[in-house]
Every structure is written in structure tokens, then in C-alpha cells.
Amino acid sequence: MENQKSSPIGTSFAMAAVWFATHSGGGFATGNQEVNYFVKYGWYSVFLPLVAMLLLGWGHRNALVLAKDYKTYDYKSFCDALFHPYEKYFSIVFELGFIMLIVCGVSTSIAGSGALLKSSLAIPYGVGIVTVGTILLLLTIFGSELIVKVLNLKTYFIIVTLLILCVLGIQMGAFNFQHVLANHETFGTSFGDAVWYMLIYIGFQAFTVLPIISVSHNIKTTKDCNRFMLFGTLLNGAFLAIICIMLLGFSPEVLNQTLPVYFVTTKLDLPWLKILYSVILFVALLGTAISLIFSTVARFEPVLVKRNILRSLSTRRIFISLVTIALCTGISVFGLTNIVVKGYGSVGYIGLFFVLLPEIIVGTIKIKNAKSRREQKLNRAV
């Protein structure tokens, strides 16, 4: 009986962990996203990460309730349920945002790896991104299951390493952080700017709903979804806020860094930690890119099969991987910061207006209507 009682809480926490793992990937671990969407707005970044994750958690919670009620565990059927009866107009936009997010994610991984190789090993950026693109192609084609499993463990190593960095970084930057907080330093920005970029951030993070609903089969009640929102908001909000606080301690210098967290490791004067972080970040970036490339293959392989293009299974997969990596390597030439600000920013608009707001507004209405219908059926039965 005890296991049955604890099972719903365990399921909710497991779902929150999926959200956390999706959020805290390689791109997040560079610190570039945190700086450009939160830290550059000064002391507002102390509390806006929690507000951001609360709003995102609300949207994800509604998505889980809809997935539970309508039995929609893939993004196509989820989109149809959310936008019905206008799904044919909105599903295209939803899919466009999904594809753009994959392209930005792979490009960020390549650009971040190239910037890391330049900073740590003095390898020219152009050589670095081509090298990383080649490694990704080889891993995608010839990578054994063991390599994929190791890369899938990246999140755990990132979290532990970042937590160590945060403890040491917050201690070292405590005086500067207190100065920023006491003077309400905003680095020349406004509260309106800070709120808007927070919304753009949760706009592109809204697409993290896709892996969440794909593994949500064990969610049985709305109470499970509410627990998921609580656990997920606390996990993601606290982690994001802690990293922002650490980076604020090294402001304003950190605001101009392509790899802000790596910059912090150079200030801590702990060579072993800099090496550890660099290795784990590189592996994490490769892992993120490979998982997204597999997502691209899964999405476009049926299209090639339907049109009878490239009959060989391995040839189809190599072709899709090659095109994806070549495209994203080309995009990574523009640099990590440009991809994070402009690329993710563009996805953020789509995610904000066509994913998150519909989940919160339309989702809430549909959930209430479904609840009313269930209550009416119960009254009739009585």
C-alpha cells in the first residue's frame, strides 16, 4: 500500500526531472542563455528566473492535463487537441517552431563547442566548428550504443559540475553581487526589457513540452499534473536563479563573454575545475546535438519513405544527418551569441504566441470545459 501511495508523487517528480534534464542541456551550461536573457538586466535576474519557470510550469501543467484527458502523447496529436477546431491552421506554425528549435539547438552545440575549443585549446573557431561537425557526423553514423548511453548521462555530470561551480563562484563573487543588489544595478536596461526577454526565453523553452508529453503515459490525475508543476518550477527556477546569481557576481565583465561559465572557471584559479568543466561541457554539447539530430531523422525519415526516396534505411539516415549537420555548421559561423539571441529569439516569438499562451489560455478553458462535462455525466448517472 505504501508503494501505491508514493507512486503518484514519484511519477510527478520523474516528469519534473524530464523537464529539468531538457532545460539544463549543453547550451544552458555555457551560461550564454542566462546572460543574454537574464543577467544583462542586472538585479532583476535574481527573481525573474523563478517567475519565468512558474509561467512555463503553468503551461506545461496544462499540457499534461490535456495529454491525460485526450490521450495525446506526440506533438501532432497534442497540437490537434490544443487548437481544435483550427488545428490545420496552427499545426504548421507549431511544426515550424519545432524545426527551428532543432536547428538552433544543433547550431548552438556546434558553436559552443567551437568557442570552447578556441578558449581552452586556442584552436581557430572555423577549424573548431568544422571539426565538431565531422565528429558529430561520425558519431551519428558509426557511434555505438555505448557512446550514445554515455552522452545521455551528460545531464547528471553537468548538474554536479555546475553546482560545484555555483558554490565556489557565489563565494568569490559575493561582494560584487551584494553591490549589484544594493544599488539595484540594471546595466542601463529597463524592467520592461527584462520582462520581455524573460517572456522570449520561456517562449523557446515552451517547446520542452514535447519530450515531456511523449513520456507522460503514467500521469493519471490532475493532482499528478499539479505536483509536476510544483516540483518542476522549484527545480528549474532555483537552478536557473542560482546560476544567474553566480554570474552576477562577475558582472559586468561576464556580460561580454561568449562562454560566461567558462569565464568564471578561469577566475576561480582551480585548473582541475576548469578542465573538468571543459570536458563535461564538450561532451554535453555533443550529446545535445546528437539527440536533436536523431529527432530530425525521426521526423523526416517517414517523409522520404512516403516519397520513395533513398530506399536503404542507413542511406536515408546518413543523408538526413549529413544535411542537418552541414546546415547547422554553416549557421554556427555566426557565433554562439548571435544564435542564442537571434535564433532562439525568433523561436521564442513562435513559442510564446503559439505554444505557451495557447496552453495557458486555451488549455485552461478546455480543461474547465472537460471537467464540467465529467461532472454533468456524474450528475446524470446519479
Side-chain angles (χ1 to χ4, degrees), residues 350-370:
I350 297 174
L352 179 63
F353 292 107
F354 294 98
V355 182
L356 186 64
L357 289 179
E359 283 176 351
I360 291 174
I361 299 170
V362 179
T364 298
I365 294 170
K366 291 199 169 189
I367 290 166
K368 286 184 176 179
N369 289 343

Side-chain angles (χ1 to χ4, degrees), residues 139-140 143-153 287 290 294:
L139 286 176
T140 305
S144 67
E145 290 185 9
L146 178 61
I147 293 175
V148 173
K149 286 178 181 177
V150 170
L151 292 174
N152 285 339
L153 293 172
I290 287 175
F294 286 157

